[in-house]
Amino acid sequence: MTLPGQQPVIWTGTYTPDGGGRADGIGALAAKPDGSVERLGTAAKTDSPSFVAVHATLPVVYAVAEQRKMVRAFRRSGDYGLEPLGDPQPAGEATCHVAVDRQGRFVTVTCWGDGQVLLFELDADGGMTGRLPAAPSVDPHAGLATGEPRQSRAHASLMLADGRIMTTDLGHDTLRVWNYVPGTGLVADHEVVLSFGSGPRHLVQHQNGNVFVVSEYSVEVFVVRPEAGVFELVFRGPATSGRSLPDDSGAEICLGFQGSYAYVGVRGSNIISVLKVGAGGTELIPVKDSPSGGNWPRHHLVRENWLHVAHERSDNVATFALDSLSGCPGDIVHNLQTPSPTALVPSS
């Protein structure tokens, strides 16, 4: 959160040399009224903070240390600096995502390497106090897999509007829904099984309560709808208007224009796909694929009528103006060089 008197910033997750990147920690960007972004500098020197999250009511930022198998909290200091808040907390192999409860009670952490889903309760200052592991995933497609059992690969968490939590598992092709119980952590509610080999990666909740999911392996989008508290699959379709290539992988999905459009990043082809939200929020219809403006679009952010795309391998954030009628990006209006960006997260 940004407190009065503090400059709003966009925090950048990054890869540092231990993760094959060129950054030295969490970056800070200033968003300008003309849609451009300016690099302020490094907010905190820390190892491979590939994803960050912001507390809803406190000036506290949480970041994974992907290669170090840790997560840690930072308190905002000065114009854009971050200083450590407490000690780093142990997580799991390839700790890749962190998300904060809307009420500031806990953070959830997901680990791609070993499939762990972890919850850390928070104190009144936003510090992490207790590490509570959730039950491991069981592969619902075990009968279809050949050879060695498939590794669970938890990837992202989403705080749902009703207070529950949904996590993706790339390795087991599932969406897992949890309830938070203080002192216990995440208690399983139910799960939604997606198609074998799809690899659900990131997700976002529409204002109507439906959740949109992008898959990394099959480069598809899915819509799950809550019915009497249980999510069910209501739509599956391509994430792009053209055919994805064999080496493509879906990355991020976000919403724009009051939920009228969804935006999907695809690495490999290096495109941003615009999808129209139709049928009352139960369909995602591809409209147009556009060049993302760099190499390996890892994450992107829609801010008003602007689209910012972080490119991990070409060290840049490309900014596009979005057409208010079609939802589509035009030409690049600004291109910022910044090392190994992997996430773009506004401070408020």
Side-chain angles (χ1 to χ4, degrees), residues 14 18 33 46 94 96 98 109 121 149 153 156 224 251 263 278 291 295 303 306 316 338 341 347:
T14 66
D18 71 323
T46 186
C96 62
V98 58
V109 175
E121 293 184 316
R153 298 200 182 280
V224 294
Y263 298 84
N295 187 12
R303 181 177 62 88
W306 308 102
N316 71 300
T338 188
S347 61

Side-chain angles (χ1 to χ4, degrees), residues 93-94 96 110-117 134-140 148-155 167-174 176 178 191 217:
E93 294 283 346
C96 62
T110 44
C111 306
W112 181 89
D114 55 19
Q116 286 194 74
V117 178
S137 175
V138 176
D139 189 355
E148 294 294 322
R150 300 197 304 168
Q151 173 64 54
S152 168
R153 298 200 182 280
H155 198 277
T167 59
T168 60
D169 195 304
L170 274 162
H172 287 173
D173 305 312
T174 55
R176 305 174 76 193
W178 312 86
E191 67 179 41
Y217 301 148

Side-chain angles (χ1 to χ4, degrees), residues 42-60:
T42 298
K45 291 188 176 182
T46 186
D47 292 323
S48 286
S50 58
F51 205 87
V52 301
V54 175
H55 195 286
T57 59
L58 298 172
V60 177

Side-chain angles (χ1 to χ4, degrees), residues 172-247:
H172 287 173
D173 305 312
T174 55
L175 309 175
R176 305 174 76 193
V177 181
W178 312 86
N179 291 292
Y180 166 59
V181 177
T184 298
L186 295 172
V187 176
D189 188 305
H190 67 281
E191 67 179 41
V192 183
V193 179
L194 301 184
S195 52
F196 179 77
S198 57
R201 177 181 170 91
H202 272 205
L203 64 177
V204 65
Q205 189 167 30
H206 191 265
Q207 59 206 34
N208 67 4
N210 294 349
V211 174
F212 303 159
V213 183
V214 62
S215 61
E216 178 168 335
Y217 301 148
S218 64
V219 195
E220 293 178 292
V221 286
F222 299 82
V223 178
V224 294
R225 178 176 61 195
E227 293 289 345
V230 176
F231 282 88
E232 61 179 22
L233 179 65
V234 296
F235 179 83
R236 172 189 179 188
T240 65
S241 58
R243 297 183 63 181
S244 59
L245 300 178
D247 292 332

Side-chain angles (χ1 to χ4, degrees), residues 118-132:
L118 304 167
L119 182 142
F120 295 84
E121 293 184 316
L122 303 178
D123 62 25
D125 296 322
M128 293 180 286
T129 61
R131 181 184 188 275
L132 301 169

Side-chain angles (χ1 to χ4, degrees), residues 214-215 218-221 235 237-245 248-251 262-267 269-275 284-290:
V214 62
S215 61
S218 64
V219 195
E220 293 178 292
V221 286
F235 179 83
T240 65
S241 58
R243 297 183 63 181
S244 59
L245 300 178
D248 281 351
S249 59
Y263 298 84
V264 168
V266 179
R267 298 166 293 180
S269 292
N270 296 335
I271 59 172
I272 295 293
S273 175
V274 181
L275 299 99
L284 293 171
I285 310 303
V287 175
K288 184 181 180 181
D289 301 337
S290 298

Side-chain angles (χ1 to χ4, degrees), residues 22-90:
R22 292 153 294 284
D24 57 5
I26 302 169
L29 309 180
K32 301 298 185 179
D34 64 358
S36 64
V37 288
E38 173 189 359
R39 187 168 189 264
L40 298 172
T42 298
K45 291 188 176 182
T46 186
D47 292 323
S48 286
S50 58
F51 205 87
V52 301
V54 175
H55 195 286
T57 59
L58 298 172
V60 177
V61 173
Y62 304 90
V64 302
E66 184 168 329
Q67 309 303 321
R68 304 299 184 186
K69 300 185 286 186
M70 296 187 305
V71 62
R72 73 179 312 171
F74 296 87
R75 181 190 293 111
R76 189 154 179 188
S77 173
D79 288 341
Y80 64 86
L82 295 170
E83 59 184 18
L85 174 61
D87 296 327
Q89 299 296 312

